[in-house]
Amino acid sequence: MPEPLRLKGISASAGYAEGPLFSLDPVVARYAGKATAAEEKAALETALGVATGRLATLIEASAGDAADILEFQIAMLEDHALTGPAFAKIASGQPADAAWRQALDAEIAGYETSDQDYFRARAADMRDIRDQVLRALTEDSEAAAPAGAIFYGEDIAPTRFLETDWSSGGGIALKAGSAASHVAMLARSRGVPMIVGLGACPTNPAGVALLDAEHGGIVLAPSKAEIEAFRLLSSSFAARRDRAETFLARPAVTKAGTPVRVQVNIADPSDVDSIDVSTCDGVGLMRTEFLFGKTLPDEETQYRAYRKVLEWAGEK
């Protein structure tokens, strides 16, 4: 039996998960080149449409932050400033897959070299956009992960996270990644354990792993004793989390007894659907500018948005 291997990273979403490792390493699929530049252009246009349609389908099952992320990706795919360089490369004789990859890699590099963590974290969204179109070009599909799997690899795409059924458990362990990424934000909101920054692994890990995303570590090929100890930690975490939830509906006060108002910030009226009004003191900031998308919202649209939030807040 192999010796247990322990890797240390950074907690991005606290929690515990025990399950089989599932590799996020991409499988390279071959693209069948076309005979003419016109056919290459048509192939990329079709792939962009397929990727956009896939995102639109995901949006139908999403709300709040998840929907915002997907809408951002659709907007990027429809932006000529992003797609134009790829079509220009096709016109100069490159195949669609190489043209798209080169154009997007240039964009991704700009995000990755930013001196701000926020923009570096957005590189994952751009890689997701790139890879969705490449999969559409090659007619490739992602392998399905087993229930309760721990996703392990360099990074994980937002769409991969949103397409995964987390109801059976599971978690995320990334060699790179960022605690400021969209996936980390989604993981925290949905209680999915996640760690980032594990770095390179000296072996090719497989089998069962123990993910301790409270302290930022993972154990590969754990011993029986380690599994038993891990399960005790997991149970303790769940009990502490349950106890903490009993305080959610209580008024927030300092140790000296000074009341503290706890208000939520929302980017979309649908955000309140997942917030229990008894756990806060109302809305502190509503990002009304997000109502203004590609078209100006009419009076009825704005009325419904504000009314929804006011009815949710009640007397708060």
Side-chain angles (χ1 to χ4, degrees):
M1 184 175 179
E3 286 294 315
L5 178 62
R6 300 168 187 82
L7 302 176
K8 190 70 175 176
I10 301 167
S11 174
S13 176
Y16 290 78
E18 174 185 348
L21 280 180
F22 179 80
S23 176
L24 288 167
D25 292 341
V27 177
V28 179
R30 295 184 64 84
Y31 169 70
K34 306 299 183 284
T36 66
E39 289 177 303
E40 293 288 359
K41 178 176 180 289
L44 181 54
E45 289 172 338
T46 298
L48 288 168
V50 169
T52 300
R54 180 186 179 211
L55 290 169
T57 299
L58 274 176
I59 286 177
E60 292 176 1
S62 304
D65 290 333
D68 292 340
I69 293 166
L70 298 171
E71 287 169 357
F72 163 78
Q73 293 198 6
I74 287 179
M76 294 297 287
L77 287 172
E78 294 176 343
D79 187 353
H80 180 72
L82 183 73
T83 61
F87 285 113
K89 291 178 184 296
I90 289 174
S92 68
Q94 289 198 28
D97 64 328
W100 178 253
R101 181 181 290 279
Q102 289 176 21
L104 267 290
D105 283 350
E107 287 286 332
I108 292 166
Y111 282 88
E112 290 178 333
T113 56
S114 171
D115 58 0
Q116 297 185 38
D117 189 47
Y118 173 85
F119 288 107
R120 288 197 301 273
R122 298 292 82 77
D125 297 274
M126 299 305 295
R127 285 192 292 270
D128 193 6
I129 292 170
R130 177 197 64 194
D131 294 345
Q132 288 180 70
V133 175
L134 288 174
R135 280 198 301 273
L137 278 169
T138 58
E139 299 182 355
D140 185 32
S141 59
E142 291 180 320
I150 296 174
F151 289 78
Y152 175 78
E154 197 71 20
D155 207 345
I156 184 171
T159 51
R160 182 84 202 220
F161 180 93
L162 292 170
E163 288 175 329
T164 299
D165 180 3
W166 298 103
S167 62
S168 299
I172 303 167
L174 302 179
K175 302 174 191 176
S178 168
S181 70
H182 275 150
V183 170
M185 178 180 66
L186 292 170
R188 288 190 290 270
S189 69
R190 302 188 183 195
V192 177
M194 176 177 175
I195 57 178
V196 299
L198 287 170
C201 180
T203 64
N204 188 21
V208 172
L210 307 176
L211 180 66
D212 175 357
E214 182 180 17
H215 303 101
I218 187 170
V219 180
L220 309 174
S223 65
K224 183 178 180 181
E226 284 177 309
I227 292 174
E228 292 174 352
F230 175 87
R231 289 174 179 172
L232 288 175
L233 286 173
S234 179
S235 297
S236 173
F237 175 82
R240 284 183 279 119
R241 180 191 57 205
D242 291 344
R243 284 198 302 273
E245 288 180 353
T246 64
F247 291 91
L248 284 175
R250 300 185 189 181
V253 295
T254 66
K255 189 175 182 179
T258 303
V260 178
R261 288 185 62 79
V262 179
Q263 296 177 305
V264 297
N265 291 354
I266 60 173
D268 186 271
S270 64
D271 289 351
V272 300
D273 294 336
S274 60
I275 303 172
D276 183 349
V277 71
S278 68
T279 64
C280 65
D281 297 307
V283 177
L285 173 67
M286 179 175 175
R287 301 292 297 275
T288 55
E289 70 271 24
F290 289 157
L291 293 174
F292 294 75
K294 295 181 179 178
T295 59
L296 293 176
D298 57 23
E299 182 178 347
E300 179 63 21
T301 298
Q302 296 182 66
Y303 170 77
R304 289 198 305 269
Y306 298 135
R307 177 165 183 160
K308 176 181 177 66
V309 175
L310 288 170
E311 288 180 343
W312 167 84
E315 300 298 321
K316 295 284 186 175

